[in-house]
Amino acid sequence: MRSIFLSLVTAAGLMAVTTGSGSQAADASAAKDTSKLGITLSNSYAGNTWRQQMVKVFQAAADEAIGKHIIAKSKVVNADASAPQQSSQIENMILEGWNAIVIDAASPSAINGSIEDACKQGITVVVFDSLATAPCAYQVAYDYVEAGRLPARFIADQLHGKGNVLVVRGLPGTQVDEDEYKGQMEIFGKFPDIKIVGTVNGNWTESIANKEVSGILPSLPKIDAVVGQGGDSVGTYQAFKAAGRPIPVITIGTRQEELALWKDLDQSTPGGYATVASSSVPGVSSIAFWVAQQILAGRQMPHVINVSLLEISKPDLDTWLKVTPVGAVATPVYSRDWTAKLIDSVVDHTPAPASPGPQDAK
Amino acid sequence: MQSVTVSRRNGLSGLAPLLAQHTRLAVPAVALAAMVGFSVILQPRVMSYFGLTLLLRYSEPLLFATMAQLCILTVGDVDLSIGPFISLVNCIVSVSATSSPTRCALELIGCVIGYVIMGAFIQVRALPSIVVTLGFSFIWLGFALLTLPTPGGSAPDWLVSMMAFQPPLIPMPILLAVMVAVVGDILLLRTGYGAILRGIGSNATAIQQAGWSLLIGRTVLYGAAGLCGVLSGLTLSGLNTTGDPWVGAQYTLLSIAGAIIGGAEFSGGIVSPIGAVFGAGIMLLSGSLLSFLDISTDWQLSVQGGLLTLVLALRTFSAWGVR
């Protein structure tokens, strides 16, 4: 346990994750005083654990910043997955005179009008997670095509390029789902002996994945692997179990129940259970918050800041399970210094700092 | 219930219905005025041309959605498909309005015809509107996803600049609201055929015996609702500048609540276009007001639902008082 912890810290780079050591780098390039300013979060949907955790992490970062007199005030406003409502809320924020608006968007396109309005008023706009495409906004972006390639690559590797694969997709009509699917198909396309024998929409939700996979299973031949998008693997697993079929390789996300499932399967399967856990993490809201603060402080940066996914492999599994409460998603929390280093790496075209490990998750 | 509504319409019982009519309109009017007043006190920046425009920008699609719902409520039906229908219009406009305007126009006309068919279907087969419109809502959504599988496309420039147009002195949303209220009021409440249409909602048998076609009446109203839905989708596209197959989802609930708060009855026959305009404003401002009060927006749906219940309860009380 202790050795795992130490090796993790060494791998991650102690400097990158420890608060305080990098503050000079942050202050030198972002010198303007932001202590009188306000940063607000417009969140399109707060109805699942991922989003609730994301909001909590944002509030924690904002409270820390207010406590240290880095900013003056903050607020979180949620819409009910409705783009017109979110647009309307953003217009209200313009009226309320916020200096920066951080946005998890209901639609990549439908709130661009109000984002443009905010930019015209000199307000800094940072979008993250579900992005909006308005060119004046800064984007803290995940590469979801890569997020699709990662589990697909793992499966192709595990199956030695031959076998039957079931694809569990996300919510239809969303860019994230399209991108992940594209990434998966790009990898599988390179292996002519890997057959996609079925595709269902699990909507990133265990119950829906369970229902959809149960529905298609009777019509399918032997399945060697299931590629999902995270949040769906427990439902998929239960569907296989209920149908009395052998459990294939199921790629998983980083929710607690998925990690716990992995651990159970690993212990109950002779020789262990191999899979890969990867996901975008709710902690990304803290990066978006600090990016907004750095822009207000005068930091120059490109409009797109890429963030890499959290990938959990077997050695870290126990540590992550320990710090992730039941019902939550495993996530690191990013500090201002870490974010400043990330911006540095984007500006200098150097590799991004290593992700903070589970020891920094709270 | 039926006989009460009929006697009100005929104005047989004198003063009482007149009073009821006024409470019906006064409640939403006073509520809206109070909400605007509070907003101004909390956030003085609202009280300017720019402030009002920002505050009310998204009232325009909601206004037309509420009017569409009003048409359906007139005959005593409920439309659960208006939200996805608005999404569909939004998708059609963002995909083809710029590249092939003719195709876009034809498709939009097709959408209105779709609504007419929906109305005819309900009338001819005597089906409950709640089931048919729920079914159609998935058809609209399906077409929206087929037209535009993922969010994107762009609204034509003329539409965007039309929505950004700033008339002198009075902000566009207010001007539009007044126009819609006046046109709706004249068509539904001050024309002979408007009275017939409302009559279908309160006593269809009487209207039929008087020699009017229920089929034509219902399809006219559904057609009008489709037209309002298209207008709602157009204004929404102009504001958002692009398309999204999920964008309209919330308008189903909001349009019903707006029309009912504005004085319409689920039982049909009783509607108020002016009240519906107030109702749409109330539904829109409830969110802004919570935001200005720094109350979590998680309360918004509860507050909107609570408003709806409160208005219905108040109305029952006033009806008793009058009787």
Side-chain angles (χ1 to χ4, degrees):
Chain A
M1 170 58 217
R2 178 134 190 102
S3 67
I4 292 171
F5 175 78
L6 278 177
S7 64
L8 250 170
V9 171
T10 328
L14 195 59
M15 299 297 280
V17 294
T18 317
T19 321
S21 57
S23 60
Q24 239 119 27
D27 291 345
S29 48
K32 267 190 245 168
D33 178 27
T34 58
S35 65
K36 301 272 188 299
L37 305 182
I39 300 176
T40 177
L41 169 67
S42 167
N43 172 33
S44 61
Y45 180 61
N48 61 33
T49 43
W50 197 99
R51 286 294 179 100
Q52 281 162 5
Q53 233 180 315
M54 180 277 279
V55 169
K56 256 187 220 142
V57 172
F58 182 91
Q59 279 166 332
D63 288 345
E64 185 198 329
I66 293 169
K68 290 183 180 166
H69 302 288
I70 299 170
I71 63 163
K73 55 177 183 165
S74 176
K75 163 164 122 162
V76 176
V77 176
N78 300 315
D80 302 298
S82 150
Q85 190 186 8
Q86 188 173 26
S87 294
S88 194
Q89 287 169 348
I90 293 170
E91 310 277 10
N92 290 337
M93 287 170 172
I94 302 171
L95 278 173
E96 289 164 13
W98 293 91
N99 305 93
I101 303 177
V102 177
I103 297 173
D104 195 337
S107 152
S109 53
I111 63 167
N112 283 350
S114 51
I115 291 179
E116 299 282 355
D117 284 345
C119 294
K120 267 181 223 148
Q121 299 303 312
I123 296 170
T124 298
V125 178
V126 177
V127 294
F128 72 102
D129 183 37
S130 280
L131 301 175
T133 54
C136 72
Y138 290 82
Q139 302 187 341
V140 174
Y142 278 118
D143 183 348
Y144 281 106
V145 180
E146 181 57 31
R149 285 188 204 117
L150 195 142
R153 224 179 267 135
F154 178 85
I155 285 176
D157 214 39
Q158 281 288 312
L159 302 184
H160 305 294
K162 183 172 164 45
N164 293 336
V165 175
L166 171 66
V167 182
V168 180
R169 294 184 63 166
L171 189 68
T174 57
Q175 198 60 49
V176 173
D177 173 56
E178 285 291 324
D179 284 351
E180 289 210 27
Y181 184 69
K182 194 172 130 200
Q184 291 165 358
M185 291 307 117
E186 185 190 307
I187 298 293
F188 291 140
K190 290 180 195 156
F191 298 91
D193 289 333
I194 287 188
K195 285 201 185 62
I196 309 296
V197 290
T199 305
V200 293
N201 282 101
N203 295 15
W204 307 308
T205 309
E206 306 294 4
S207 53
I208 297 177
N210 187 354
K211 193 181 96 206
E212 294 295 321
V213 174
S214 298
I216 196 179
L217 260 188
S219 66
L220 296 181
K222 178 173 176 286
I223 304 288
D224 299 301
V226 180
V227 62
Q229 298 186 356
D232 44 22
S233 63
V234 176
T236 306
Y237 162 76
Q238 281 161 348
F240 274 86
K241 207 176 150 208
R245 303 188 47 146
I247 307 301
V249 176
I250 305 173
T251 64
I252 65 176
T254 64
R255 293 189 194 189
Q256 193 272 345
E257 69 262 26
E258 296 180 285
L259 298 177
L261 172 70
W262 186 3
K263 197 174 173 195
D264 283 352
L265 282 174
D266 194 43
Q267 282 166 355
S268 61
T269 314
Y273 184 78
T275 185
V276 65
S278 63
S279 173
S280 56
V281 293
V284 68
S285 62
S286 52
I287 302 183
F289 174 84
W290 290 117
V291 163
Q293 187 270 334
Q294 292 284 300
I295 298 167
L296 289 179
R299 184 83 160 87
Q300 295 293 319
M301 63 183 85
H303 269 63
V304 179
I305 309 281
N306 275 310
V307 184
S308 43
L309 298 164
L310 174 67
E311 186 185 342
I312 297 177
S313 48
K314 209 182 268 180
D316 318 340
L317 182 59
D318 284 326
T319 334
W320 276 112
L321 262 174
K322 252 189 206 99
V323 297
T324 311
V326 173
V329 186
T331 182
V333 172
Y334 304 92
S335 65
R336 175 166 67 151
D337 299 319
W338 190 92
T339 308
K341 284 211 165 62
L342 175 70
I343 298 169
D344 286 343
S345 77
V346 174
V347 172
D348 304 339
H349 300 286
T350 52
S355 168
Q359 69 280 1
D360 290 308
K362 279 179 209 101
Chain B
M1 186 62 212
Q2 201 80 319
S3 64
V4 173
T5 25
V6 170
S7 71
R8 267 189 205 153
R9 172 132 330 84
N10 299 341
L12 292 177
S13 33
L15 193 66
L18 201 69
L19 207 70
Q21 189 76 38
H22 282 280
T23 353
R24 198 172 283 285
L25 207 56
V27 172
V30 170
L32 183 62
M35 290 175 92
V36 173
F38 267 126
S39 301
V40 172
I41 294 168
L42 290 169
Q43 196 53 255
R45 254 176 283 207
V46 166
M47 207 55 225
S48 64
Y49 184 92
F50 171 72
L52 278 174
T53 309
L54 276 190
L55 186 72
L56 298 174
R57 265 187 78 171
Y58 277 84
S59 68
E60 294 163 24
L62 180 57
L63 193 65
F64 285 115
T66 311
M67 283 302 150
Q69 192 64 248
L70 188 87
C71 295
I72 308 290
L73 284 168
T74 303
V75 280
D77 292 353
V78 174
D79 182 7
L80 298 184
S81 77
I82 187 70
F85 183 76
I86 293 170
S87 302
L88 173 59
V89 173
N90 176 238
C91 290
I92 291 174
V93 170
S94 348
V95 168
S96 57
T98 314
S99 52
S100 50
T102 331
R103 194 182 124 202
C104 176
L106 286 176
E107 282 176 345
L108 290 182
I109 292 169
C111 286
V112 177
I113 294 173
Y115 248 71
V116 171
I117 291 171
M118 191 162 80
F121 194 50
I122 289 170
Q123 177 65 42
V124 172
R125 303 296 308 158
L127 293 167
S129 62
I130 205 162
V131 177
V132 175
T133 56
L134 185 66
F136 267 80
S137 76
F138 293 106
I139 297 181
W140 306 140
L141 179 64
F143 275 127
L145 281 167
L146 284 174
T147 313
L148 191 66
T150 50
S154 64
D157 292 336
W158 60 265
L159 189 60
V160 175
S161 49
M162 198 173 87
M163 293 309 294
F165 174 70
Q166 304 201 329
L169 295 175
I170 303 167
M172 184 70 174
I174 297 180
L175 213 58
L176 199 73
V178 172
M179 273 158 48
V180 168
V182 169
V183 171
D185 194 70
I186 290 174
L187 287 181
L188 263 178
L189 299 185
R190 309 203 184 277
T191 61
Y193 197 60
I196 301 297
L197 290 177
R198 282 180 291 127
I200 297 176
S202 54
N203 193 340
T205 325
I207 297 294
Q208 196 171 25
Q209 277 165 359
W212 296 94
S213 162
L214 297 187
L215 181 63
I216 293 178
R218 198 169 237 116
T219 48
V220 163
L221 280 171
Y222 272 77
L227 189 65
C228 289
V230 167
L231 287 173
S232 175
L234 280 171
T235 49
L236 188 60
S237 311
L239 288 174
N240 288 344
T241 70
T242 51
D244 183 333
W246 293 99
V247 75
Q250 245 208 347
Y251 285 115
T252 305
L253 171 81
L254 289 179
S255 66
I256 296 174
I260 294 294
I261 285 181
E265 290 279 356
F266 278 121
S267 55
I270 300 177
V271 289
S272 165
I274 299 179
V277 170
F278 293 149
I282 289 172
M283 295 321 284
L284 184 84
L285 283 189
S286 60
S288 306
L289 203 56
L290 287 181
S291 173
F292 294 152
L293 281 168
D294 265 334
I295 295 174
S296 160
T297 34
D298 296 342
W299 287 92
Q300 185 163 349
L301 275 183
S302 316
V303 168
Q304 285 169 341
L307 275 175
L308 182 61
T309 322
L310 186 74
V311 166
L312 286 173
L314 279 177
R315 200 179 292 160
T316 321
F317 276 128
S318 68
W320 280 339
V322 171
R323 238 178 274 167

